[in-house]
Amino acid sequence: MKGDHFLISTLAILAFATFLASAYDPSPLQDFCVAVKDIKSGLQNPRNTKNPVGSNVTAVNVDNLEGLNTLGISLARIDFAPNGLNPPHTHPRATEILLVLEGTLYVGFVTSNGDGNRLFTKVLNKGDVFVFPIGLIHFQLNVGHVNAVAFAGLSSQNPGVITIANAVFGSKPPINPDVLTKAFQVDNKVVDYLQKQFWYDNN
């Protein structure tokens, strides 16, 4: 009887200790990291949008602000010329929330194949926000007649970015044209033309 009481008490203590050990948010690898470099993010300054896509992304992530290490967040400023486009792209490691500071943007994302590649879009004005789920292809287009500015918060210190056209048609070395001809179901001359284009990187 005494042994049973001891066993039950021990199991209760272990269960309680396990509960305490898992009853808090996981902590980062370190409490904080004080950046020592004199980095000027320049997010207050507009960027040059005179390029083929008419936009410019200024990222603030762990690569240029060490203080973000282990915090799971990053930021970007996106400047748009009239009709400027932040081309279809994806962030493999982060969800993005976009806030329009100036102008009018047409934004959208496409769901995965299993969800039927459904397109969700919205026209955003100053003060509006929109969320792009992690890993999904998304874009922003300035549909106004003046410059536009947006800020994006991302749920990773290093969200990564894959611009679809650049990756598919501008890879080095190029993807075999037979692969792209079959994948896009177009003539090989179209693929050849697209692979010879200069694919501008606005990041």
Side-chain angles (χ1 to χ4, degrees), residues 89-112:
H89 63 282
T90 180
H91 303 291
R93 295 179 292 277
T95 291
E96 174 182 343
I97 184 166
L98 185 86
L99 167 66
V100 178
L101 296 181
E102 298 292 338
T104 304
L105 298 177
Y106 169 70
V107 305
F109 67 86
V110 180
T111 63
S112 63

Side-chain angles (χ1 to χ4, degrees), residues 3 12 24-25 69 90 105 110 116 123 142-143 146 151-152 154 186-187:
Y24 66 94
D25 289 333
N69 190 34
T90 180
L105 298 177
V110 180
V123 174
N142 182 358
V143 293
V146 296
F151 270 72
L154 298 112
V186 295
D187 185 271

